[in-house]
Amino acid sequence: MSQGRVIKVAGPLVEAANMESANIRDIVKVGNLQLIGEIIQMENDVAAIQVYEETSGLGLNEPVETTGLPLSVELGPGLMSQMFDGIQRPLEKIEEVTKSEYLARGVSVPVLDKEKLWEVEAKVSIGDTVEHGDVVAVVQETKIVEHRIMIPKGVSGTIKSIEPGEKTVDDIVYTVEQKDGSIFEGTLKQRWPVRQGRPYKRKLLPKQPLITGQRVIDTFFPVSKGGAAAIPGPFGAGKTVIQHQIAKYSDVDIVVYIGCGERGNEMTEVLDEFPKLIDPNTGESLMERTILIANTSNMPVAAREASIYTGITIAEYYRDMGYSVAVMADSTSRWAEALREMSGRLEEMPGDEGYPAYLGSRIAEYYERAGLVEVLGNSGRQGSVTAISAVSPPGGDTSEPVTQNTLRVVKVFWGLDSGLSQRRHFPAVDWLESYSLYLDEIGETINQRTNMNWLGMVNRGMSILQNESELQEIVQLVGVESLSDRDRITMMTARMLREDYLQQNAYDDIDTYTSFDKQASMLSNILHFDEKARETQEYGATYSDIENGTNQVRERIARSKEITEDNRDQIDLIKEQIDQDMREVLQTGGEN
Ligand code: ADP
Ligand code: MG
């Protein structure tokens, strides 16, 4: 068989001739160093290869061989708590092997620890009928994650043997006799290609909120478990902080965090901080349920293109186990730039702003992999992938193609506003521009789960904020004095909503996370204040009476943020003081 050979090197794009035995999307080993690459175009015997490692020094005529396999990830116990690069090479271990800070080229390190023994517990018996997706055994992967060993795609039949006990990822744990009489030998690991979404039985309507602990999000712009959300915003508006907050505090089982083309120190921060942080939902270290993918700005650009697929495929794997998974990408703009760079080097016909014409379909395909699904197999198990991505348009201009194509497919838009971030209103989520198409579904779910009219509260809060923005125009023209007392109450409540509720300090030990119950207490106090103030005004008090008579209680409302979750009942007690102060306003005309 003829040997492929390099005929052109252009940065991350390499062309090789004599490649007739290879296929598009094959993974190939390029050059004497055996750099990892993927064929992205084939013309006759010439393959265009995007190389995932630095190509400097790669010479013409060096050999190229195909593996015949698509870009794929290795899946099994031991993924959790690890950090990988964009093509799933374990970063810490590569450092150990090469004793250097940067990835040495051509180094191949196993993804999963081959020596580690896992205590395998059987979930099937000999003679059981199984099909792909069925759980045959479990392994306690971390303190909080039970790793479910599933029958791989394409395998079905009768369990012929099952052997629990201490096993490595490569030991044969079970065998399946298939219909054609062949025997499938199952281990703890499997390989999945990353470029297509994993099959499932059916998609379900996601109705359960993903509680992030961030008030502006959970209350006004919630995302469901299985939903998709985007955070577009200019540099410095707080995209990364929001992504970190969600990764830290969401009530999901698993988080896959993809640092895609952004600064390396942000991933270092995650690595330093996450192990020390306690997950409020499990009481264990955050890393017990987190997997990191790092392809930062200093790493090869082609691997950045792959990183989001590596991340979402790992997310789908845990989804299939029956978990709720959040996959965060910061930022998809950097991913799109990598796509544009490769397309440019291929001399493809450029579309909008130089992005390839298929940008929109690639973005749509990515977000379509989010969802709440019933997984393959007989169990009826459900799992979800929630996709939350930052988009960093140049200059913050959201009319550009990446933002526009993203907003076409996601149902939640958290728009960050540089005006807000400059005024230090964080999170700088613009409450007038942002939206969540899940709001009503989630609101109904919460209404049913609690005995509150949550959706009513949310709508009331939002209408006060919208009212404020209209009134502000008048105030700017003719001054606040010209407003009616009713409108001034609106302005007062809106300010409480903005400052005491929407603003949330990510760096404050208590304020950084607010449980749903605490959010409900805080919001209902502000709305209760609003209602009582209006009542009091209708009974004859003036706006100034109300303002002067409620300084203390408004201070208490403002300081609710500082009250710990354990002392939440103190927040509920504020309502009594609101009632009492309003009564006094009526009796004394606000002199206290
Ligand atoms: P971006 O990723 O959009 O460029 P960052 O997420 O890095 O922006 O945020 C920039 C800065 O804004 C942070 O370093 C921090 O000082 C401030 N910031 C953002 N969000 C918050 C928040 N919720 N609480 C406090 N400060 C914040
Ligand atoms: Mg950032």
Side-chain angles (χ1 to χ4, degrees):
M1 196 177 72
S2 64
Q3 164 81 64
R5 59 187 178 83
V6 173
I7 55 170
K8 185 177 164 190
V9 180
L13 185 74
V14 168
E15 280 180 16
N18 283 358
M19 295 294 292
E20 50 273 276
S21 60
N23 291 301
I24 191 147
R25 293 290 168 202
D26 279 2
I27 289 296
V28 293
K29 304 241 166 112
V30 178
N32 299 323
L33 278 174
Q34 302 221 309
L35 306 178
I36 301 167
E38 180 183 8
I39 299 181
I40 54 176
Q41 205 178 66
M42 268 314 264
E43 260 183 61
N44 303 319
D45 72 322
V46 176
I49 301 161
Q50 68 175 354
V51 178
Y52 292 127
E53 305 181 76
E54 276 300 324
T55 56
S56 53
L58 178 66
L60 296 183
N61 289 319
E62 286 194 34
V64 178
E65 66 182 280
T66 179
T67 62
L69 298 168
L71 184 64
S72 54
V73 285
E74 191 172 296
L75 301 162
L79 290 172
M80 204 49 65
S81 319
Q82 284 216 63
M83 176 158 73
F84 300 104
D85 77 352
I87 53 169
Q88 209 205 9
R89 290 177 302 177
L91 284 171
E92 275 150 320
K93 285 194 204 131
I94 288 194
E95 280 172 32
E96 285 160 26
V97 170
T98 62
K99 300 269 184 283
S100 102
E101 243 202 282
Y102 295 95
L103 298 184
R105 295 184 291 169
V107 175
S108 126
V109 179
V111 172
L112 300 172
D113 189 332
K114 286 178 168 310
E115 262 107 69
K116 180 162 178 146
L117 289 169
W118 297 97
E119 185 62 38
V120 177
E121 187 192 327
K123 288 287 171 187
V124 289
S125 315
I126 292 171
D128 284 358
T129 312
V130 290
E131 63 178 53
H132 56 193
D134 286 343
V135 173
V136 288
V138 296
V139 158
Q140 198 64 39
E141 184 175 13
T142 67
K143 275 189 205 139
I144 52 173
V145 177
E146 180 188 82
H147 197 106
R148 298 170 184 151
I149 309 301
M150 298 172 287
I151 301 270
K153 200 176 145 204
V155 176
S156 65
T158 319
I159 295 287
K160 200 85 178 111
S161 70
I162 170 92
E163 214 185 298
E166 294 206 315
K167 302 287 172 193
T168 70
V169 287
D170 292 315
D171 289 338
I172 293 166
V173 173
Y174 65 96
T175 54
V176 178
E177 185 171 347
Q178 306 205 73
K179 289 209 180 63
D180 62 2
S182 68
I183 303 288
F184 171 80
E185 297 184 322
T187 64
L188 299 181
K189 73 177 197 204
Q190 41 187 306
R191 259 192 174 279
W192 289 8
V194 302
R195 298 246 181 227
Q196 301 107 32
R198 292 300 293 180
Y200 44 80
K201 261 201 178 143
R202 59 195 176 104
K203 242 183 189 171
L204 306 157
L205 193 66
K207 289 183 180 171
Q208 296 300 328
L210 184 152
I211 302 291
T212 66
Q214 311 305 300
R215 296 186 291 267
V216 61
I217 291 176
D218 295 345
T219 301
F220 291 113
F221 309 109
V223 61
S224 49
K225 286 181 176 154
I231 320 169
F235 180 78
K239 300 180 293 295
T240 300
V241 173
I242 289 189
Q243 294 268 58
H244 284 189
Q245 292 297 96
I246 295 176
K248 285 175 193 167
Y249 300 121
S250 295
D251 64 340
V252 289
D253 300 313
I254 311 284
V255 170
V256 179
Y257 193 96
I258 311 166
C260 178
E262 295 287 307
R263 291 187 305 269
N265 64 333
E266 287 174 350
M267 284 313 272
T268 319
E269 242 175 75
V270 171
L271 258 190
D272 283 347
E273 207 185 350
F274 277 31
K276 293 176 211 149
L277 280 172
I278 299 298
D279 176 354
N281 301 293
T282 64
E284 297 292 341
S285 155
L286 275 176
M287 282 313 284
E288 299 283 309
R289 59 135 203 209
T290 306
I291 297 172
L292 305 175
I293 312 280
N295 214 261
T296 50
S297 51
N298 57 328
M299 290 158 82
V301 68
R304 185 193 303 172
E305 191 278 320
S307 66
I308 68 166
Y309 301 104
T310 295
I312 204 159
T313 308
I314 293 174
E316 286 169 331
Y317 178 60
Y318 283 93
R319 171 201 76 186
D320 280 6
M321 290 180 206
Y323 291 123
S324 60
V325 187
V327 56
M328 332 274 309
D330 186 13
S331 124
T332 53
S333 296
R334 301 285 101 78
W335 163 83
E337 283 160 20
L339 194 69
R340 175 168 67 184
E341 178 168 344
M342 296 317 295
S343 168
R345 287 182 190 274
L346 282 171
E347 294 173 8
E348 289 173 338
M349 175 94 84
D352 242 6
E353 299 197 14
Y355 289 105
Y358 46 80
L359 174 73
S361 60
R362 291 281 167 88
I363 289 177
E365 277 161 29
Y366 177 75
Y367 289 105
E368 270 158 25
R369 292 172 73 169
L372 170 69
V373 304
E374 183 181 331
V375 307
L376 293 180
N378 286 315
S379 66
R381 211 161 56 242
Q382 294 183 4
S384 63
V385 169
T386 309
I388 299 173
S389 315
V391 186
S392 30
D397 167 21
T398 53
S399 69
E400 58 84 49
V402 182
T403 315
Q404 285 304 311
N405 281 298
T406 302
L407 293 184
R408 213 162 282 151
V409 288
V410 302
K411 294 197 168 153
V412 180
F413 166 55
W414 299 319
L416 299 188
D417 178 59
S418 55
L420 289 173
S421 59
Q422 275 153 19
R423 293 201 296 277
R424 311 291 301 161
H425 175 115
F426 288 117
V429 174
D430 183 339
W431 56 89
L432 298 175
E433 293 292 320
S434 302
Y435 58 78
S436 164
L437 302 182
Y438 303 109
L439 183 66
D440 289 345
E441 292 284 358
I442 288 177
E444 290 296 336
T445 304
I446 295 175
N447 281 354
Q448 280 164 22
R449 209 159 67 189
T450 61
N451 51 10
M452 300 181 276
N453 178 7
W454 173 250
L455 198 52
M457 286 166 60
V458 171
N459 288 334
R460 176 73 190 127
M462 187 45 71
S463 85
I464 292 169
L465 289 165
Q466 283 164 347
N467 244 320
E468 180 199 37
S469 98
E470 290 154 19
L471 291 172
Q472 240 148 17
E473 289 173 23
I474 302 176
V475 169
Q476 263 160 23
L477 288 175
V478 286
V480 72
E481 306 299 328
S482 65
L483 293 184
S484 69
D485 278 7
R486 286 185 61 85
D487 287 344
R488 294 197 69 178
I489 293 173
T490 303
M491 298 293 279
M492 178 158 63
T493 310
R495 181 170 171 183
M496 290 163 91
L497 284 170
R498 281 188 287 109
E499 294 180 0
D500 308 336
Y501 197 74
L502 296 183
Q503 284 188 23
Q504 187 171 358
N505 185 352
Y507 302 108
D508 179 89
D509 284 345
I510 298 170
D511 202 24
T512 188
Y513 166 81
T514 309
S515 70
F516 177 78
D517 291 336
K518 186 176 164 190
Q519 294 184 38
S521 297
M522 289 172 71
L523 180 62
S524 80
N525 280 349
I526 297 175
L527 296 178
H528 185 72
F529 180 92
D530 184 74
E531 200 183 309
K532 287 288 155 185
R534 285 174 202 287
E535 238 175 67
T536 308
Q537 192 250 329
E538 268 158 35
Y539 281 125
T542 64
Y543 170 77
S544 330
D545 293 342
I546 296 168
E547 191 186 23
N548 293 332
T550 55
N551 283 317
Q552 274 180 11
V553 77
R554 281 186 288 118
E555 178 69 13
R556 272 182 81 189
I557 291 174
R559 303 190 70 154
S560 301
K561 292 178 182 186
E562 297 164 21
I563 296 174
T564 59
E565 294 289 339
D566 293 342
N567 293 319
R568 213 175 52 229
D569 45 349
Q570 289 179 16
I571 299 176
D572 297 325
L573 293 177
I574 296 176
K575 280 203 185 72
E576 288 168 20
Q577 196 189 340
I578 294 173
D579 294 349
Q580 193 185 329
D581 285 6
M582 294 294 179
R583 274 197 301 272
E584 275 170 31
V585 167
L586 274 182
Q587 282 155 11
T588 65
E591 274 139 44
N592 73 356

